[in-house]
PDB file of all heavy atoms in Angstrom:
ATOM      1  N   GLU A 117      -5.336-119.566-123.133  1.00 92.00           N
ATOM      2  CA  GLU A 117      -5.822-120.113-124.397  1.00 92.00           C
ATOM      3  C   GLU A 117      -4.899-119.727-125.558  1.00 92.00           C
ATOM      4  O   GLU A 117      -4.608-120.541-126.444  1.00 92.00           O
ATOM      5  CB  GLU A 117      -7.258-119.657-124.676  1.00 92.00           C
ATOM      6  CG  GLU A 117      -7.459-118.175-124.915  1.00 92.00           C
ATOM      7  CD  GLU A 117      -7.588-117.348-123.638  1.00 92.00           C
ATOM      8  OE1 GLU A 117      -7.122-117.810-122.580  1.00 92.00           O
ATOM      9  OE2 GLU A 117      -8.160-116.252-123.705  1.00 92.00           O
ATOM     10  N   TYR A 118      -4.417-118.486-125.537  1.00 94.00           N
ATOM     11  CA  TYR A 118      -3.510-118.056-126.593  1.00 94.00           C
ATOM     12  C   TYR A 118      -2.072-118.502-126.325  1.00 94.00           C
ATOM     13  O   TYR A 118      -1.302-118.727-127.259  1.00 94.00           O
ATOM     14  CB  TYR A 118      -3.573-116.539-126.752  1.00 94.00           C
ATOM     15  CG  TYR A 118      -4.875-116.054-127.322  1.00 94.00           C
ATOM     16  CD1 TYR A 118      -5.732-115.245-126.585  1.00 94.00           C
ATOM     17  CD2 TYR A 118      -5.268-116.420-128.609  1.00 94.00           C
ATOM     18  CE1 TYR A 118      -6.940-114.806-127.107  1.00 94.00           C
ATOM     19  CE2 TYR A 118      -6.472-115.979-129.145  1.00 94.00           C
ATOM     20  CZ  TYR A 118      -7.305-115.177-128.384  1.00 94.00           C
ATOM     21  OH  TYR A 118      -8.499-114.752-128.913  1.00 94.00           O
ATOM     22  N   THR A 119      -1.708-118.627-125.061  1.00 97.00           N
ATOM     23  CA  THR A 119      -0.383-119.145-124.730  1.00 97.00           C
ATOM     24  C   THR A 119      -0.230-120.565-125.252  1.00 97.00           C
ATOM     25  O   THR A 119       0.806-120.920-125.834  1.00 97.00           O
ATOM     26  CB  THR A 119      -0.161-119.127-123.206  1.00 97.00           C
ATOM     27  OG1 THR A 119      -0.322-117.804-122.702  1.00 97.00           O
ATOM     28  CG2 THR A 119       1.253-119.606-122.863  1.00 97.00           C
ATOM     29  N   ALA A 120      -1.258-121.385-125.072  1.00 97.00           N
ATOM     30  CA  ALA A 120      -1.219-122.760-125.585  1.00 97.00           C
ATOM     31  C   ALA A 120      -1.061-122.772-127.096  1.00 97.00           C
ATOM     32  O   ALA A 120      -0.306-123.579-127.659  1.00 97.00           O
ATOM     33  CB  ALA A 120      -2.488-123.512-125.175  1.00 97.00           C
ATOM     34  N   GLU A 121      -1.758-121.863-127.767  1.00 95.00           N
ATOM     35  CA  GLU A 121      -1.646-121.756-129.227  1.00 95.00           C
ATOM     36  C   GLU A 121      -0.239-121.342-129.641  1.00 95.00           C
ATOM     37  O   GLU A 121       0.321-121.868-130.612  1.00 95.00           O
ATOM     38  CB  GLU A 121      -2.662-120.742-129.751  1.00 95.00           C
ATOM     39  CG  GLU A 121      -2.634-120.514-131.254  1.00 95.00           C
ATOM     40  CD  GLU A 121      -3.246-121.667-132.039  1.00 95.00           C
ATOM     41  OE1 GLU A 121      -4.105-122.377-131.476  1.00 95.00           O
ATOM     42  OE2 GLU A 121      -2.853-121.857-133.201  1.00 95.00           O
ATOM     43  N   SER A 122       0.358-120.408-128.899  1.00 96.00           N
ATOM     44  CA  SER A 122       1.711-119.961-129.243  1.00 96.00           C
ATOM     45  C   SER A 122       2.734-121.068-128.995  1.00 96.00           C
ATOM     46  O   SER A 122       3.716-121.193-129.742  1.00 96.00           O
ATOM     47  CB  SER A 122       2.081-118.698-128.451  1.00 96.00           C
ATOM     48  OG  SER A 122       2.180-118.962-127.060  1.00 96.00           O
ATOM     49  N   PHE A 123       2.532-121.882-127.953  1.00 97.00           N
ATOM     50  CA  PHE A 123       3.404-123.038-127.737  1.00 97.00           C
ATOM     51  C   PHE A 123       3.346-123.972-128.942  1.00 97.00           C
ATOM     52  O   PHE A 123       4.372-124.470-129.411  1.00 97.00           O
ATOM     53  CB  PHE A 123       2.966-123.818-126.489  1.00 97.00           C
ATOM     54  CG  PHE A 123       3.315-123.169-125.178  1.00 97.00           C
ATOM     55  CD1 PHE A 123       2.560-123.438-124.046  1.00 97.00           C
ATOM     56  CD2 PHE A 123       4.390-122.302-125.059  1.00 97.00           C
ATOM     57  CE1 PHE A 123       2.869-122.853-122.827  1.00 97.00           C
ATOM     58  CE2 PHE A 123       4.711-121.710-123.853  1.00 97.00           C
ATOM     59  CZ  PHE A 123       3.942-121.992-122.719  1.00 97.00           C
ATOM     60  N   LEU A 124       2.138-124.229-129.424  1.00 96.00           N
ATOM     61  CA  LEU A 124       1.964-125.100-130.584  1.00 96.00           C
ATOM     62  C   LEU A 124       2.645-124.520-131.810  1.00 96.00           C
ATOM     63  O   LEU A 124       3.335-125.241-132.560  1.00 96.00           O
ATOM     64  CB  LEU A 124       0.469-125.314-130.855  1.00 96.00           C
ATOM     65  CG  LEU A 124       0.094-126.102-132.111  1.00 96.00           C
ATOM     66  CD1 LEU A 124       0.736-127.485-132.101  1.00 96.00           C
ATOM     67  CD2 LEU A 124      -1.425-126.213-132.242  1.00 96.00           C
ATOM     68  N   GLU A 125       2.477-123.220-132.047  1.00 96.00           N
ATOM     69  CA  GLU A 125       3.105-122.582-133.199  1.00 96.00           C
ATOM     70  C   GLU A 125       4.630-122.680-133.122  1.00 96.00           C
ATOM     71  O   GLU A 125       5.300-122.927-134.137  1.00 96.00           O
ATOM     72  CB  GLU A 125       2.677-121.113-133.284  1.00 96.00           C
ATOM     73  CG  GLU A 125       1.212-120.902-133.625  1.00 96.00           C
ATOM     74  CD  GLU A 125       0.868-121.311-135.043  1.00 96.00           C
ATOM     75  OE1 GLU A 125       1.772-121.296-135.896  1.00 96.00           O
ATOM     76  OE2 GLU A 125      -0.291-121.662-135.297  1.00 96.00           O
ATOM     77  N   LEU A 126       5.176-122.502-131.927  1.00 97.00           N
ATOM     78  CA  LEU A 126       6.625-122.611-131.769  1.00 97.00           C
ATOM     79  C   LEU A 126       7.103-124.033-132.017  1.00 97.00           C
ATOM     80  O   LEU A 126       8.141-124.250-132.659  1.00 97.00           O
ATOM     81  CB  LEU A 126       7.031-122.155-130.359  1.00 97.00           C
ATOM     82  CG  LEU A 126       7.207-120.653-130.195  1.00 97.00           C
ATOM     83  CD1 LEU A 126       7.249-120.265-128.723  1.00 97.00           C
ATOM     84  CD2 LEU A 126       8.490-120.190-130.894  1.00 97.00           C
ATOM     85  N   ALA A 127       6.346-125.013-131.526  1.00 97.00           N
ATOM     86  CA  ALA A 127       6.714-126.410-131.747  1.00 97.00           C
ATOM     87  C   ALA A 127       6.775-126.720-133.239  1.00 97.00           C
ATOM     88  O   ALA A 127       7.713-127.380-133.720  1.00 97.00           O
ATOM     89  CB  ALA A 127       5.714-127.334-131.057  1.00 97.00           C
ATOM     90  N   ILE A 128       5.792-126.245-133.985  1.00 95.00           N
ATOM     91  CA  ILE A 128       5.743-126.499-135.429  1.00 95.00           C
ATOM     92  C   ILE A 128       6.937-125.855-136.135  1.00 95.00           C
ATOM     93  O   ILE A 128       7.557-126.441-137.029  1.00 95.00           O
ATOM     94  CB  ILE A 128       4.420-125.985-136.016  1.00 95.00           C
ATOM     95  CG1 ILE A 128       3.245-126.818-135.478  1.00 95.00           C
ATOM     96  CG2 ILE A 128       4.438-126.013-137.539  1.00 95.00           C
ATOM     97  CD1 ILE A 128       1.877-126.240-135.784  1.00 95.00           C
ATOM     98  N   LYS A 129       7.279-124.646-135.729  1.00 95.00           N
ATOM     99  CA  LYS A 129       8.391-123.946-136.374  1.00 95.00           C
ATOM    100  C   LYS A 129       9.733-124.593-136.025  1.00 95.00           C
ATOM    101  O   LYS A 129      10.619-124.700-136.879  1.00 95.00           O
ATOM    102  CB  LYS A 129       8.354-122.470-135.994  1.00 95.00           C
ATOM    103  CG  LYS A 129       7.169-121.751-136.640  1.00 95.00           C
ATOM    104  CD  LYS A 129       6.981-120.352-136.110  1.00 95.00           C
ATOM    105  CE  LYS A 129       5.808-119.672-136.803  1.00 95.00           C
ATOM    106  NZ  LYS A 129       4.526-120.361-136.587  1.00 95.00           N
TER     107      LYS A 129
END
Side-chain angles (χ1 to χ4, degrees):
E117 66 277 22
Y118 291 116
T119 303
E121 179 74 26
S122 66
F123 285 154
L124 175 57
E125 292 291 334
L126 276 165
I128 293 169
K129 290 171 179 61

